[in-house]
Amino acid sequence: MTVSSAPSPAAGASILWHYSVLNLGGAELATLRLLEGLADRGLAPLLALNLPGGAAEDRVSGSVALAHLRPHAVPRPPATLEAHSLAGAARYASARLRQYAREWRFSRGEGFSAAVVGLQGLSPAFVCRRVRAARRLHFIRSDLRACDPTGRIHRTIARYAPRTDAYVCVSDAARASLVKLHPSVAEKAHTIPNLLGAAEMKRKADAPDPFPPRGGKRRVLTVARLWEPAKALGRMARVQAQLLRGGVDFDWFIVGDGPDRKMLEDEIARLGLSGRMHLLGAQANPYPYYAHADLVAVLSHYEGLCGAINEAKVLGRPVIATDVGAVREQLGGDGDGGLIVASEERAIAEGLAQLLANKAQCAAMAAVPLPSVLLDDEAKLDKLMALMAVQGAL
């Protein structure tokens, strides 16, 4: 069900989940999987988005109600207004006023059993000041020390910590980063990994080879939102150029889209990688790409709990990953489940060259399963519902 403004919350175990905009990224898909899991348990989730129009919005299932707090996206006007920007400033102010009006509707009615701030960078103001809820939770999906260079997230967490009942961290690494910055919330901080949906992944992966014929060349796959600050896109291009010059012959396929696609396209052209690094865009079903790739590369500057690693491991693919976030939780502390390299170009290039030349090592790593704590979706839902103090339908 889609609604243009906030509905009256349903009585009982109703859950409000606040998110900014539903882009097509790992955090967003993990959020949708969680909401569907809660709905399957008999709860009534409502997803409240600041902005409409995200690429993943059409993936919201019919069991999850949807509300938009702002009627449409309007760019924030410049700090110093000129005459030609007054109309834009007026549109922005109008959209914000309508958002405030819609937010206030959540302060009336019977309230929610629990309200969730779905992302560490999203202000808890709406959930903590507007929404009537018995419990309030805040999701931490990344390493706060790496993803918060200005300290903005740190300041908002500190401000709303007294009104927050629990922090849900998607990995032990994310939890450690939170507690390091905010020791006072340690007892409120809990690790609950993202739901996997492993059976659905395997079902969707059972499809013909989606890659174009490349004459038997080895195929490296990266699945990521194209956002340079986190995903280190330019570095990937430079590493491939270095390896090709050294005689390591392979194709690199990148599934995903995002705000820095043009930057990566320009870097591919500058380095002469056209025809060797392939941007495939967002794919409704990325799993066949995993199933037919020779190697999955996750070479980010920072991560929380990397969905691409989980997906690669579920589908039996070897992984090379930079030593960030929860990578060691996913691949094993000694790297038995994948090759873990330092987050710098030389180490990445050496690791890629090693794996592309060693099929036996790739096969051995691919055979190591994910840790059981990451595979048990029912246990994750049990723990989340306990933190929300809710029970599903009998």
Side-chain angles (χ1 to χ4, degrees), residues 153-202:
I153 299 173
H154 165 75
R155 291 189 294 273
T156 58
I157 288 175
R159 180 177 180 182
Y160 290 99
R163 303 186 187 187
T164 302
D165 296 293
Y167 293 90
V168 180
C169 307
V170 299
S171 65
D172 289 337
R175 183 185 182 278
S177 75
L178 171 67
V179 173
K180 179 73 174 178
L181 290 172
H182 303 276
S184 64
V185 307
E187 292 186 2
K188 297 182 181 180
H190 308 267
T191 299
I192 304 178
N194 294 327
L195 268 62
L196 287 185
E200 181 185 14
M201 283 186 204
K202 293 176 181 178

Side-chain angles (χ1 to χ4, degrees), residues 239-252:
V239 164
Q240 185 179 26
Q242 175 185 335
L243 289 175
L244 290 174
R245 288 194 301 269
V248 181
D249 195 13
F250 68 102
D251 280 296
W252 203 327

Side-chain angles (χ1 to χ4, degrees), residues 11 25 37 58 87 93 105 113 125 148 152 166 199-200 202 219 236 241 258 279 284 288 312-313 328 345 375 385 391:
D58 61 356
R105 294 187 62 183
S113 300
D148 186 28
R152 179 185 61 83
E200 181 185 14
K202 293 176 181 178
R219 301 182 290 199
M236 291 194 300
L279 304 188
K313 295 297 294 177
R328 290 185 178 270
E345 289 185 25
L375 291 169
M385 290 174 64
Q391 294 182 343

